[in-house]
Amino acid sequence: MDIKKPFVVGAGIMGSGVGQLCAQQGYEVTVLDISDEIIEKAKEKIKAGLKRRVEKGKITNEDMESVLSRMNWSADMNLARECDFVIEAASENLDIKKDVFKKLDSICLPTTILATNTTALSISEIASATSRPDKVIGMHFFNPAVIMKLVEVIRGEKTSEETVATTKKFVENLGKVPIATDKEAPAGIVSRVLASLLNEAAIVYAEGIASPQDVDEAMKLGAGLPMGPLALIDMIGLDIHLAKMETLYAKLKDERYKPPEIIKNMVAEGKLGKKTGEGFYKY
Ligand SMILES: NC(=O)c1ccc[n+]([C@@H]2O[C@H](COP(=O)([O-])OP(=O)(O)OC[C@H]3O[C@@H](n4cnc5c(N)ncnc54)[C@H](O)[C@@H]3O)[C@@H](O)[C@H]2O)c1
């Protein structure tokens, strides 16, 4: 099945990025969030980003206008009736995702694939809210979605091979590289492997061993990372990182995944990273 009309749920960091990617690759896409205010903010952010690319001479004004014209925005989920593929990128919360999938299941055509961009929640649990678990799949983009090459494709227990194949093809048509897990696993490959590294960097800072700048610079110069781990947590969002750690700890019951106190405290103080203007750094 060739995908023609994608629909994105959530206009936060990931949803708006995935929506922009779809539009850049020529798809007519609709991006949904819960309020007009959130939608306006996301729209403005994308416009500003594209404008900067025009100013730098990377794209033409015409390119920008054509990408923007392919992006439709709405708070009405009934519009998902028209689409053949949904990418859900709402908040990392199982109840929210199950509620979204239940609604989508009742609105969308029976053939529509429902994918989730969840970082670590169970695909099977999300799929259990629908009558089509064979058509529910994990499609894990990386931040920023327009730039990062990889999309992990994560199976649920009942995901069909046909759904996996269609999703991989769609990922390729989006100009990305799909890597599929062989079985369901919380956080797939990259987020799981990175989890302990990010936590350890936060703990090194919390123990007073080094400043965020020095932790990040040391990891860039000494470990060859393209970006410091604390700057990466800020970009991901501390709330998203915490939700991932809580899921991994609960599912894998391994002390390695215990969320560090400093992350819990910073989330409680509203220091969620770039999106709130303060995390390990100020923005
Ligand atoms: N931030 C990252 O680096 C990253 C990377 C990969 C995957 N993810 C995953 O992508 C998903 C979204 O993360 P994010 O960083 O974009 O979060 P975010 O907080 O920036 O955005 C989440 C958006 O979902 C919206 N939302 C909440 N309930 C909704 C509902 N019922 N219907 C529609 N929209 C709803 C919120 O209003 C918000 O705009 C999460 O599952 C997260 O784990 C995040």
Side-chain angles (χ1 to χ4, degrees):
M1 185 171 107
D2 240 2
I3 300 309
K4 297 198 171 62
K5 279 203 113 186
F7 186 93
V8 179
V9 177
I13 299 174
M14 293 309 293
S16 47
V18 171
Q20 180 183 344
L21 172 70
C22 291
Q24 283 183 192
Q25 293 298 115
Y27 291 94
E28 182 88 23
V29 63
T30 302
V31 184
L32 169 133
D33 210 299
I34 45 176
S35 77
D36 291 337
E37 200 191 333
I38 295 173
I39 289 171
E40 269 320 302
K41 255 183 152 171
K43 238 173 159 173
E44 284 310 311
K45 221 173 139 191
I46 287 196
K47 213 172 171 179
L50 287 169
K51 263 192 179 153
R52 275 197 302 276
R53 288 180 61 78
V54 173
E55 280 156 17
K56 285 184 186 160
K58 304 233 183 223
I59 56 171
T60 65
N61 204 46
E62 223 170 45
D63 294 334
M64 176 179 82
E65 291 302 338
S66 96
V67 168
L68 293 174
S69 74
R70 281 192 292 276
M71 293 188 80
N72 308 301
W73 302 82
S74 180
D76 179 7
M77 200 179 272
N78 286 312
L79 296 182
R81 196 174 290 126
E82 312 287 322
C83 75
D84 51 11
F85 199 105
V86 178
I87 304 159
E88 170 276 318
S91 313
E92 182 77 351
N93 173 295
L94 187 60
D95 291 337
I96 291 179
K97 291 200 191 284
K98 282 176 91 168
D99 184 49
V100 166
F101 272 69
K102 193 168 173 212
K103 284 185 188 142
L104 287 168
D105 189 44
S106 69
I107 292 169
C108 295
L109 294 170
T111 48
T112 299
I113 291 175
L114 308 179
T116 171
N117 187 44
T118 181
T119 300
L121 296 170
S122 156
I123 309 303
S124 298
E125 274 179 70
I126 295 171
S128 72
T130 75
S131 61
R132 61 181 90 189
D134 57 314
K135 293 193 179 61
V136 176
I137 191 161
M139 191 183 190
H140 188 218
F141 289 83
F142 291 82
N143 185 11
V146 284
I147 292 171
M148 300 298 280
K149 272 301 204 193
L150 174 67
V151 178
E152 282 182 348
V153 175
I154 301 174
R155 289 172 163 83
E157 270 167 36
K158 296 186 179 159
T159 309
S160 71
E161 286 310 312
E162 197 187 340
T163 300
V164 173
T166 304
T167 306
K168 284 170 92 172
K169 180 84 193 306
F170 182 38
V171 169
E172 283 164 1
N173 288 344
L174 287 171
K176 304 288 175 189
V177 179
I179 293 186
T181 58
D182 292 332
K183 60 175 192 174
E184 173 153 27
I189 304 167
V190 176
S191 295
R192 176 158 167 187
V193 173
L194 266 181
S196 313
L197 176 88
L198 298 186
N199 279 346
E200 209 53 42
I203 292 167
V204 165
Y205 162 62
E207 287 182 357
I209 296 168
S211 67
Q213 288 81 356
D214 284 348
V215 170
D216 280 354
E217 203 54 20
M219 291 305 290
K220 284 199 282 183
L221 298 178
L225 298 183
M227 178 179 195
L230 298 179
L232 179 57
I233 301 180
D234 273 3
M235 191 168 102
I236 292 168
L238 278 91
D239 53 334
I240 298 284
H241 179 70
L242 177 60
K244 172 180 76 180
M245 295 317 304
E246 281 170 343
T247 305
L248 279 172
Y249 189 46
K251 294 269 175 201
L252 303 173
K253 303 195 180 1
D254 186 324
E255 290 296 306
R256 283 180 301 168
Y257 300 112
K258 197 171 176 185
E261 285 306 310
I262 180 167
I263 300 280
K264 289 200 264 183
N265 294 341
M266 286 173 72
V267 170
E269 287 165 25
K271 294 179 184 166
L272 307 186
K274 254 186 172 171
K275 63 182 161 191
T276 54
E278 187 175 353
F280 290 98
Y281 296 89
K282 285 203 165 112
Y283 298 89

